[in-house]
Amino acid sequence: MILLRCPYCREMRSEAELTWGGEAGIMRPADPAIASDTEWTEYLFMRTNTKGWLQEQWCCSAGCGQWFKVERHTVSHQIRQILRFDEAFSDVTIAQEGAA
Amino acid sequence: MGWQDYSLLSLARQGLSGNRGWKQAWRSPAPKKKYQVVIIGGGGHGLATAWYLAREHGIRDIAVLEKGWIGGGNTGRNTTNVRSDYMFSESAAMYDKALKLYEDFARELNFNIMLSQRGWVTLFHDQHQMESARHKLNWMRCNGIDAEILDRAALAKLIPGLRADNPRWPVLGAVLQQRGGTIRHDAVAWGYARGADRMGIDIIQNCEVKGFTREGDRITAIDTSRGTIGCDSVGVAVAGHSSVIADMAGFRLPVTSRCLQAMVSEPIRPILDVAMISPATGVYLNQTQKGELVMGAMLDPGQSYGQRGGPRTVQKVVEAAVELFPAFGQARLMRHWGGIVDIVPDSSPIIGATPVSNLYINCGWGTGGFKAIPVGGLMLAHAIATNRPHPLAEKFGLDRFRDNRLVDEGAASGIAH
Ligand SMILES: Cc1cc2nc3c(=O)[nH]c(=O)nc-3n(C[C@H](O)[C@H](O)[C@H](O)COP(=O)(O)OP(=O)(O)OC[C@H]3O[C@@H](n4cnc5c(N)ncnc54)[C@H](O)[C@@H]3O)c2cc1C
Ligand SMILES: [Zn+2]
């Protein structure tokens, strides 16, 4: 069961109260008029799907309604960072995290 | 080698001599230095690919590399429903070919996969869904697939335990594909493994692929937990681990890996004689020949490579099942488990060429690739042997995402996931 403390309303939210929003930090091509097919394909379809630490977005959908960002391990489900949407992930690496 | 065929006679003979004479169904060879073709992934799709490479294209210098044991991935974790009720004609053609190959499996491979075409029933719960039921009937018939609509009375006869007038999710009717049903899942992996082994193909278990040696845009060798293995071409059929292999080979896929759960009850007497789904509640169920109720779920939220899911999903499945079949409330759950499935944006598979010139992929089957194993093997084998898409695979290349020609079965046939 995924349990996340929302960084906006500060409540501990369970899976039933959350909506998963996929990979965090996907950027729409800055100038759509000149973006190539390859850039559009990357943006629309290609996804980071790491076996290990992954940065993703979740919505506190049954609570305050805010989207926020999470760094989670896709094998252990350990949570390393939970951030407001305008904050940037810090580059932490925990020594004993091991390979997945 | 020599065939040691399974038959009534061999069963009787072995039975009378204490079953001590059975031979191992496939060898456990050490890897050779090099193979013409290396298949990564010893699930149904990988093993079927090896078999079709030998049978259709005469290539026998093949290794199948499996990091665990064959069939230990999703092939041995799924709820075993088979059917071909997809909407786009290219999808229907592909899935129905798979069903036909399954219908021939026992004859061709001398292995009983316990194909039980007891009927695949899709339940509909309100007036709007009943309109889509008629839509579904039309598209299935246009695709040449058998289909009929069942009203409440017909359903009550077919599925006596179903409480169609339950207040929460009343059932108004259903679509039946009689040729759908279930198959014993391990048997599919074992049948292809035995067939491939007899063609001289090496099935190498406990052999994890860890990286590639490249020369230009080709892969020349594969680094594994059992040493380096040279190759002329590579086939990849690793389902939920497709992105991990693509990362090693240096390209990206439109795939996310998700956990899908299923569960079984203790065995009970025969009560459910069809395989069925209620798309609105997200539950699908059937009863095994042993009597267990097998129940499948929707995806757990979030990407995951952990082969276990959360309790909320289990609760949702059980809730829906018991609402539809109040009698099931007396049964206890025996086991539940998860598998890691490869989800793509249009819920259709990706088959064939990749940016690496001698590496071909079979992935993206997501929550529904067990039913497709024979055709998945046929299509990947064709790509490897001829460097061209199989006629059934033409619309299912990786390039469809760049060309924006999705085959959106998620929207079309309303795949639940
Ligand atoms: C709970 C559940 C229910 C399902 N229900 C149905 C259903 O009712 N009907 C249906 O049609 N489909 C269903 N599916 C989907 C179906 O199971 C899959 O689409 C199908 O089995 C995929 O087969 P595969 O051979 O591609 O993958 P798998 O059987 O998963 O085989 C891939 C293999 O690759 C191996 N591998 C991975 N990485 C490496 C590596 N680095 N080196 C070597 N080997 C590696 C794995 O160990 C694994 O054995 C279900 C899936 C799940 C999880
Ligand atoms: Zn909140």
Side-chain angles (χ1 to χ4, degrees):
Chain A
M1 171 83 85
I2 303 265
L3 287 174
L4 300 171
R5 186 172 297 283
C6 170
Y8 291 93
C9 67
R10 301 255 141 232
E11 291 295 329
M12 188 61 99
R13 298 290 179 190
S14 78
E15 231 168 81
E17 301 168 295
L18 297 163
T19 301
W20 176 63
E23 185 181 340
I26 295 175
M27 298 292 250
R28 188 180 159 85
D31 186 350
I34 59 162
S36 67
D37 284 357
T38 309
E39 284 169 284
W40 278 116
T41 314
E42 276 293 313
Y43 164 69
L44 288 169
F45 301 119
M46 299 300 166
R47 290 296 174 260
T48 303
N49 191 25
T50 318
K51 185 173 185 176
W53 292 104
L54 185 77
Q55 297 172 349
E56 56 184 0
Q57 46 197 8
W58 289 80
C59 182
C60 183
S61 48
C64 70
Q66 290 278 4
W67 281 96
F68 58 96
K69 298 193 287 192
V70 174
E71 190 173 34
R72 182 177 58 90
H73 197 285
T74 57
V75 180
S76 67
H77 298 313
Q78 190 188 337
I79 310 283
R80 197 155 72 175
Q81 301 183 62
I82 300 185
L83 303 172
R84 289 172 176 246
F85 215 75
D86 53 0
E87 294 171 327
F89 286 103
S90 67
D91 213 3
V92 287
T93 26
I94 300 169
Q96 79 282 12
E97 79 194 26
Chain B
M1 270 189 314
W3 280 83
Q4 194 201 15
D5 278 346
Y6 297 147
S7 65
L8 201 55
L9 188 69
S10 66
L11 201 62
R13 196 182 290 144
Q14 293 291 349
L16 292 172
S17 59
N19 285 310
R20 279 185 296 269
W22 295 113
K23 296 241 171 58
Q24 282 213 313
W26 53 87
R27 298 160 296 132
S28 295
K32 293 196 290 187
K33 285 220 149 37
K34 182 187 174 269
Y35 294 88
Q36 188 178 345
V37 179
V38 172
I39 308 290
I40 306 172
H45 283 275
L47 292 162
T49 303
W51 156 259
Y52 281 113
L53 273 170
R55 226 220 39 182
E56 300 281 306
H57 305 281
I59 299 172
R60 292 176 179 224
D61 184 21
I62 304 171
V64 179
L65 309 184
E66 166 53 51
K67 74 172 172 182
W69 63 95
I70 58 168
N74 295 339
T75 298
R77 292 166 184 270
N78 75 90
T79 51
T80 77
N81 297 319
V82 296
R83 56 193 172 86
S84 57
D85 55 343
Y86 287 76
M87 182 173 138
F88 292 117
S89 53
E90 57 268 37
S91 312
M94 179 175 68
Y95 286 104
D96 207 55
K97 175 71 176 177
L99 191 50
K100 288 186 179 127
L101 291 170
Y102 268 143
E103 286 165 349
D104 264 352
F105 193 106
R107 243 187 316 278
E108 189 161 7
L109 284 127
N110 179 237
F111 208 102
N112 182 5
I113 55 171
M114 298 169 76
L115 168 65
S116 163
Q117 293 177 296
R118 69 185 91 159
W120 169 253
V121 173
T122 306
L123 296 185
F124 294 98
H125 298 274
D126 62 36
Q127 208 46 55
H128 309 292
Q129 290 176 20
M130 279 313 288
E131 271 165 40
S132 66
R134 282 183 281 278
H135 183 212
K136 179 170 173 143
L137 180 84
N138 281 336
W139 92 57
M140 286 178 69
R141 293 214 171 143
C142 289
N143 286 329
I145 311 288
D146 66 300
E148 55 193 285
I149 287 197
L150 305 177
D151 60 16
R152 252 193 189 185
L155 261 179
K157 258 177 93 179
L158 188 65
I159 314 178
L162 178 70
R163 189 173 160 206
D165 63 349
N166 80 80
R168 192 157 168 208
W169 291 302
V171 182
L172 299 194
V175 170
L176 166 70
Q177 183 187 8
Q178 187 58 56
R179 285 168 60 238
T182 62
I183 289 175
R184 170 70 206 263
H185 50 18
D186 302 309
V188 172
W190 298 338
Y192 280 126
R194 179 164 164 273
D197 180 86
R198 286 174 167 187
M199 298 275 209
I201 291 163
D202 285 356
I203 295 164
I204 302 167
Q205 304 184 75
N206 299 309
C207 181
E208 180 173 0
V209 170
K210 302 196 169 250
F212 295 113
T213 307
R214 280 180 70 152
E215 262 168 41
D217 69 345
R218 297 177 64 79
I219 285 167
T220 53
I222 302 177
D223 308 320
T224 80
S225 56
R226 297 183 65 177
T228 300
I229 302 172
C231 60
D232 294 337
S233 37
V234 187
V236 180
V238 294
H241 280 74
S242 300
S243 304
V244 176
I245 296 289
D247 279 348
M248 292 176 194
F251 63 93
R252 284 179 34 102
L253 288 172
V255 170
T256 47
S257 295
R258 309 278 304 272
C259 179
L260 183 66
Q261 296 193 65
M263 58 216 77
V264 291
S265 75
E266 60 191 334
I268 56 176
R269 291 195 173 194
I271 176 167
L272 181 60
D273 198 25
V274 294
M276 53 165 283
I277 187 167
S278 153
T281 64
V283 68
Y284 38 102
L285 47 146
N286 68 72
Q287 187 172 22
T288 68
Q289 278 88 348
K290 273 190 292 182
E292 303 145 331
L293 298 165
V294 181
M295 292 169 279
M298 307 285 276
L299 294 165
D300 273 36
Q303 275 150 270
S304 173
Y305 286 89
Q307 281 187 141
R308 66 201 181 283
R312 177 162 178 262
T313 306
V314 178
Q315 189 184 343
K316 275 166 67 177
V317 167
V318 169
E319 212 175 279
V322 169
E323 204 83 43
L324 295 171
F325 294 90
F328 292 0
Q330 298 168 51
R332 281 169 299 187
L333 275 189
M334 207 164 59
R335 291 192 306 279
H336 76 108
W337 64 89
I340 301 307
V341 295
D342 40 343
I343 301 296
V344 287
D346 61 353
S347 301
S348 284
I350 300 171
I351 307 290
T354 69
V356 178
S357 71
N358 64 340
L359 183 144
Y360 304 86
I361 201 160
N362 164 334
C363 71
W365 297 102
T367 60
F370 175 71
K371 69 174 80 66
I373 283 171
V375 82
L378 185 75
M379 296 187 299
L380 182 59
H382 188 96
I384 295 169
T386 67
N387 196 28
R388 298 191 51 78
H390 187 279
L392 287 171
E394 271 162 10
K395 301 266 177 75
F396 297 99
L398 179 56
D399 53 4
R400 75 172 182 270
F401 296 95
R402 188 202 55 216
D403 299 346
N404 212 1
R405 291 177 193 274
L406 306 197
V407 187
D408 196 346
E409 284 295 340
S413 58
I415 295 174
H417 311 275

